[in-house]
Amino acid sequence: QVHLVESGGGLVPAGGSLRLSCTASGLRFGDVNMHWFRQAPGKEREGVACIFWDGGSAYYSDSVRGRFTISRDNAKNTAYLQMNSLKPEDTAMYYCAAGLPCTPAVQALRIRDGNHWGQGTQVTVSS
């Protein structure tokens, strides 16, 4: 019954910004860590960011650290990914996941580590 819905993707020029949203239902949102994953064509789905259940800590992959910020609003059952200074290599389908361990090794996470997936939201960064 867990349902995750990603939104906010689009086409942006290099250097631009975008904010993704992930709205969850069917779970105790305030009790679980949240993650963002992405999957580029021909590549595996990989973790890019995670945030603790209470928003107290967050971790990022090497490729996005300093440019992306994960946040959450537990009253809205929503997690966000603010993406700044976007690069063409950020182009991917972005997904969120709930209930996974949030550690500095977030970039090692793959699709098998997730439990429920939404449809994803496409981010395309033009050069």
Side-chain angles (χ1 to χ4, degrees):
Q1 199 170 0
V2 175
H3 191 212
L4 303 173
V5 179
E6 302 93 343
S7 62
L11 174 64
V12 296
S17 297
L18 205 60
R19 189 180 75 157
L20 308 183
S21 298
C22 168
T23 299
S25 61
L27 52 77
R28 295 174 63 86
F29 185 80
D31 291 345
V32 301
N33 303 328
M34 293 298 296
H35 286 64
W36 283 97
F37 287 69
R38 68 185 182 187
Q39 186 167 23
K43 295 188 175 181
E44 294 182 296
R45 192 171 300 182
E46 62 182 6
V48 297
C50 65
I51 187 168
F52 278 25
W53 61 273
D54 62 351
S57 297
Y59 299 105
Y60 301 91
S61 67
D62 293 342
S63 62
V64 310
R65 189 177 301 109
R67 299 187 298 119
F68 291 10
T69 302
I70 187 171
S71 62
R72 65 192 299 159
D73 185 341
N74 287 354
K76 296 182 178 180
N77 284 10
T78 300
Y80 304 94
L81 188 67
Q82 178 67 47
M83 305 183 295
N84 298 326
S85 302
L86 283 162
K87 304 175 180 180
E89 48 263 48
D90 296 317
T91 294
M93 188 74 76
Y94 283 72
Y95 303 86
C96 62
L100 305 177
C102 181
T103 77
V106 61
Q107 68 190 28
L109 294 173
R110 298 293 181 266
I111 192 169
R112 71 176 306 277
D113 300 304
N115 42 19
H116 302 278
W117 302 101
Q119 79 290 340
T121 186
Q122 178 68 40
V123 172
T124 303
V125 184
S126 61
S127 59

